[in-house]
Every structure is written in C-alpha cells, then in structure tokens.
C-alpha cells in the first residue's frame, strides 16, 4: 500500500467514524450527491430505453418494419390492389437482411349491433402472417388461424371497439361493406379481443382473414393491399428500405403504382416523439453529472480547509505538493467510489422493482402503455459510470491544485 493511499484511507475512516469534525456533514452530502446523481441517471436511462422499446415494438408489431403499398386509386377513391405474386415475394426475400414477408389486404366496413355501430378498417391476414404480436396483445379469446384459401367468418377486435359496441369474445355481430352496386353484409364471430393502447390501431382496426377481404374487394388470389416486411437488424431499416425501393419501383402488370416505406416514415410523429426523449435524457444526465461534480468539489475543498494544518505539517516534513495532491485525490476516489456503489445499487434496485411489479402506473391513453417501462442496457450503464468517474477525476484533479497555494509557515499556523 502506498503512503498516499494509506493516509487517504485514514482520513476517510476518520470522517466515517463518529466524532465532532465539522466537515463530516459535507463529506456525507458529497457522497449522497454522487449516489443520488447516479441513481437518477440510471433510472432516467432505463425509463427512456423502456419507452422506446415498448412504443416502437407496438408500432412495428402492427405495421412491421417496412411496407410496400399501392399508391393508385380508382374513381371512387379506393386503393387498387398490388400484384403480390410468388415472383415478387421471392425477390423481396432474396434481399439480405429481410427476415419475414407477409401479405395483407384492407377493406373499410361497419360493425353494427342493435344499439350502436362503428366504422373500421378490416385488415385481412393469411397463414403467412406473423401473429406473435397480436397474440401478446390479446385480453380475451384467442387468435384464429386465418387463411388465404377459405373464409373463417371470425374477427379479432380491440377492447375499445368491444366496449363501444357492448360486445365480447364469442359474440356474433353483423359487418356491412359497400359494394359497387349494393351494401353487402356478413355475420362474423368475435374470436378474440386485443389491446395495444395505441389509439391509431385500437380505434380503427379489425383483424380477419385475407380471403374474405379479397372477395369483398373483388380481388384475385395474388392481389393484396401490399406487403409487410420485418428485418433482422432494425438499425439497418433505412438502408434496406432504399434497396427495396430500387427493387420494387414503378408499376405492376396491372398498371398499379406502388411504393416502399419504412415504419419511421409511416409513423413519423411517433418516432419524432421518441427522439425528443433522447434529448431529454441527455439533459438529465448532464445536469446530474454537474450536481455530482459540484458536491465532490465542495466536499474536497472543505476537507482540505479542515486539514490545512496537516497539509502544512506534511510540507514542513518535506512532503511535496504532488504527494499531498495524491493523498486528497485518493480520498476523493474513495468518496466517489462509495457514492457510485450506493447509487448503482439504489438505481438498479428501483428499476428492477418497477420492471417486476409495475409500481408506477401511467395513463395508457396518453403514454400508450399502462405503467412506466424499464429496459436495461449493460453497455450504456457502464458508459454512464465511466463518464461520471472521468468527470469526477477531472474535478478532483483541478481542486487538488489548491494545495500548492500558500506557504508551509502560513498553513501550519492556520486557525
């Protein structure tokens, strides 16, 4: 053990023990400031990561990562179908980075009970559709195995639509669709009820089989509203979107123009809101680091002021300014280390409790989720700790240079 570290440990132990030193509250406040700052930074980071993960997963779960959709309307302002044959699917799946491709078809319709009705977008899906997200959002009933070969006469609606219409899973309900010459009706069974807390989806969509939607639209087997594609790495979604735009551009053989868009462009307002959260957390991290640095600096200056006689004695005995700086730097490292330890423990514990028990609730209509979400990223946690240590080291280094001011004869007589 070095001489500097030995003295620093003795000073730290002296302030940790009971006694009458006036600097003891300052040391505890400095340690408390570092601990609170670190805990707040970790909680802020975990909450923002949780929000981004939960909200983006819901947006992408309902709309995938990339969509290829028709851009052509007929005289009645209805979107014309895209030719999604096996050749197109094979070409899209051949793009490196694409994980899954699925067809979908849309049809506007009305669900009606004896007392109420609701206009909705009927989204038709088939056996190739990944329903894992919808299954996770189910609150009643089950997710049927929808097919592109036959009608299931089943639908899955949101909890909000079910509440507005006064129906539940297992009930039968009439659906009405506008045809070219007359209104067509279907009697459908509510197989399940989902809830995403995303109003854009819960208030507007009904899930059914793509076979029924194609027949209602008068489309052929290979015609759809478009394709939805998921990717292996979402960080590359913009690059893959550009590749697909070059691959799938122009018109199909029926003269329908189609385009390719990433979910970032389709749900631009949602991702813009998430980007604002990043800015907020950066401001919080910066402020907490400044608070921690200020408390460490003030605590160190108070300790040096209280120990000024000891500093003068050490100088008289031949100790250099650099050695004395190392003593107080080591003392500050012990103080900051203890604060970081308690801050990490408190912050991670609170995050774990929220993740496991959802102690803090939210208004789902405003925040899209019903409780504060938590997500951990070990690399970011480590990075926050490293940056905090570096900032504290810079403050300690600067503050310790005050030791070189003053003559030994003056400091040793200081009262």
């Amino acid at each position: 053990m070095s001489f500097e570290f030995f003295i620093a440990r003795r000073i730290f132990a002296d302030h940790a023990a009971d006694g009458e030193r006036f600097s003891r509250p300052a040391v505890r406040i400095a340690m408390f400031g570092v601990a609170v700052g670190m805990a707040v930074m970790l909680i802020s980071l975990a909450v923002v990561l949780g929000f981004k993960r939960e909200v983006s997963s819901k947006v992408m779960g309902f709309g995938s990562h990339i969509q290829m959709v028709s851009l052509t309307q007929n005289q009645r302002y209805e979107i014309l179908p895209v030719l999604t044959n096996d050749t197109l699917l094979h070409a899209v799946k051949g793009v490196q980075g694409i994980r899954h491709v699925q067809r979908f078809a849309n049809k506007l319709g009305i669900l009606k009970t004896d007392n109420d009705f609701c206009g909705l977008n009927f989204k038709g899906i088939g056996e190739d559709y990944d329903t894992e997200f919808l299954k996770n959002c189910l609150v009643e009933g089950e997710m049927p195995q929808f097919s592109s070969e036959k009608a299931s006469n089943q639908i899955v609606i949101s909890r909000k639509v079910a509440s507005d219409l006064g129906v539940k899973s297992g009930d039968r309900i009439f659906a009405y669709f506008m045809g070219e010459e007359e209104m067509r009706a279907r009697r459908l069974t509510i197989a399940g009820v989902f809830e995403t807390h995303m109003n854009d989806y819960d208030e507007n969509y009904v899930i059914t089989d793509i076979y029924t939607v194609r027949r209602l639209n008068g489309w052929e087997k290979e015609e759809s509203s478009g394709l939805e594609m998921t990717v292996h790495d979402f960080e590359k979604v913009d690059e893959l979107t550009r590749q697909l735009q070059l691959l799938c551009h122009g018109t199909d053989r029926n003269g329908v123009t189609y385009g390719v868009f990433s979910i970032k462009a389709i749900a631009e307002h949602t991702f813009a809101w998430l980007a604002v959260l990043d800015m907020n957390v950066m401001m919080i991290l910066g402020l907490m680091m400044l608070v921690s640095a200020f408390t460490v600096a003030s605590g160190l200056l108070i300790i040096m002021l209280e120990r000024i006689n000891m500093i003068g004695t050490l100088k008289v005995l031949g100790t250099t300014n650099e050695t004395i700086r190392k003593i107080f730097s080591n003392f500050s490292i012990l103080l900051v280390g203890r604060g970081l330890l308690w801050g990490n423990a408190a912050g991670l514990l609170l995050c774990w409790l929220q993740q496991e028990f959802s102690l803090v609730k939210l208004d789902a209509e405003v925040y899209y989720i019903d409780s504060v979400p938590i997500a951990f990223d070990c690399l970011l946690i480590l990075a926050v700790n490293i940056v905090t240590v570096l900032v504290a080291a810079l403050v300690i280094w600067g503050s310790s240079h005050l030791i070189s001011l003053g003559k030994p004869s003056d400091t040793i007589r200081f009262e």
Side-chain angles (χ1 to χ4, degrees):
M1 182 185 300
S2 66
F3 168 75
E4 296 89 347
F5 189 66
F6 174 77
I7 299 298
R9 283 190 61 184
R10 292 297 298 269
I11 297 174
F12 188 80
D14 188 24
H15 285 83
D18 292 332
E20 300 300 327
R21 291 192 176 276
F22 74 89
S23 62
R24 182 170 291 106
V27 172
R28 291 179 177 175
I29 290 172
M31 192 181 304
F32 180 75
V34 173
V36 171
M38 177 54 64
V40 171
M41 287 189 287
L42 292 182
I43 293 171
S44 302
L45 190 64
V47 170
V48 169
L49 289 176
F51 263 111
K52 294 185 69 174
R53 182 189 66 184
E54 293 296 323
V55 175
S56 60
S57 66
K58 289 183 178 184
V59 174
M60 293 183 290
F62 216 96
S64 294
H65 299 150
I66 304 172
Q67 289 187 20
M68 189 201 77
V69 294
S70 170
L71 303 177
T72 304
Q73 296 178 335
N74 61 16
Q75 294 180 348
R76 292 182 297 164
Y77 301 103
E78 294 176 336
I79 298 296
L80 295 178
V82 177
L83 188 63
T84 54
N85 53 26
D86 292 340
T87 302
L88 178 62
L89 261 65
H90 181 74
V92 172
K93 291 178 180 178
V95 176
Q96 187 174 2
I98 298 297
R99 181 170 63 87
H100 182 69
V101 182
Q102 55 200 23
R103 301 178 178 95
F104 71 96
N106 293 325
K107 177 68 176 178
L108 296 178
I110 298 172
L111 286 179
K112 186 179 183 304
T113 62
D114 293 337
N115 301 316
D116 215 336
F117 66 92
C118 187
L120 298 159
N121 186 351
F122 286 72
K123 183 175 182 178
I125 62 177
E127 58 279 339
D128 63 341
Y129 201 90
D130 184 0
T131 58
E132 187 65 27
F133 170 76
L134 293 172
K135 288 179 181 178
N136 292 333
C137 294
L138 283 179
V139 293
E140 289 182 31
E142 61 182 8
M143 177 62 60
Q145 182 60 51
F146 291 120
S147 171
S148 60
E149 301 295 333
K150 61 179 181 179
S152 64
N153 295 321
Q154 292 181 309
I155 56 173
V156 178
I157 64 176
S158 71
R159 173 179 278 180
K160 178 147 192 341
V161 172
S163 176
D164 291 345
L165 296 178
V167 295
K168 61 184 184 301
S169 175
D171 290 351
R172 303 191 72 184
I173 189 171
F174 280 101
Y176 296 90
F177 304 91
M178 181 65 69
E180 293 185 3
E181 298 179 355
E182 59 182 359
M183 185 76 72
R184 287 177 289 180
R186 295 286 189 278
R187 193 175 187 188
L188 306 172
T189 301
I190 301 173
V193 177
F194 68 87
E195 185 175 37
T196 68
H197 297 301
M198 303 285 286
N199 292 336
D200 289 345
Y201 305 134
D202 289 351
E203 295 179 356
N204 297 310
Y205 281 92
V206 173
I207 308 300
T208 188
D209 60 85
I210 195 171
Y211 178 84
T212 297
V213 173
R214 281 172 173 162
R215 289 196 63 186
L216 290 168
N217 284 324
W219 294 351
E220 299 296 331
K221 181 180 179 180
E222 293 183 339
E223 293 179 331
S224 310
S225 295
L227 297 177
E228 293 179 347
M229 293 151 275
T230 56
V231 301
H232 290 288
D233 184 2
F234 187 69
E235 297 296 326
K236 299 180 179 178
V237 68
D238 292 329
E239 177 186 347
L240 290 171
T241 300
R242 287 190 292 270
Q243 291 184 35
L244 290 169
Q245 287 171 345
L246 294 175
L247 177 68
C248 308
H249 69 282
T251 60
D252 61 20
R253 67 169 180 250
N254 294 329
V256 176
T257 303
Y258 49 87
V260 178
F261 306 93
S262 74
I263 193 66
K264 292 181 180 179
I266 296 172
E268 185 176 4
H269 62 288
T270 301
F271 285 92
W273 174 61
L274 295 177
V276 172
L277 293 181
D278 287 337
M279 181 63 67
N280 290 342
V281 77
M282 292 301 295
M283 293 178 63
I284 292 173
L285 293 178
L287 289 173
M288 289 300 101
M289 286 185 183
L290 288 176
V291 170
S292 300
F294 177 79
T295 55
V296 170
S298 59
L300 179 58
L301 292 176
I302 292 173
I303 294 298
M304 289 191 296
L305 180 64
E306 185 185 53
R307 296 280 178 169
I308 194 167
N309 297 99
M310 185 194 78
I311 294 171
T313 302
L314 289 173
K315 285 186 176 183
V316 169
L317 293 174
T319 307
T320 63
N321 287 330
E322 183 178 356
T323 300
I324 299 175
R325 284 201 300 270
K326 287 182 179 179
I327 291 173
F328 285 95
S329 295
N330 286 327
F331 170 83
S332 301
I333 290 171
L334 292 172
L335 185 151
V336 172
R338 183 73 65 86
L340 289 178
L341 179 64
W342 285 108
N344 277 277
L348 294 176
L349 176 61
L350 290 173
C351 289
W352 178 81
L353 290 173
Q354 176 63 25
Q355 187 180 52
E356 293 296 321
F357 304 106
S358 300
L359 302 177
V360 182
K361 302 296 183 181
L362 295 175
D363 184 355
E365 293 187 0
V366 177
Y367 295 100
Y368 306 134
I369 44 183
D370 55 7
S371 65
V372 174
I374 297 294
F376 294 104
D377 188 317
C378 295
L379 290 178
L380 286 179
I381 292 173
L382 180 62
V384 169
N385 276 272
I386 291 174
V387 172
T388 303
V389 169
L390 293 176
V391 172
L394 182 61
V395 172
I396 292 167
W397 178 80
S399 302
S400 66
H401 275 72
L402 296 175
I403 294 169
S404 60
L405 302 177
K407 298 178 181 179
S409 58
D410 296 329
T411 56
I412 200 169
R413 292 195 301 266
F414 181 80
E415 295 294 337

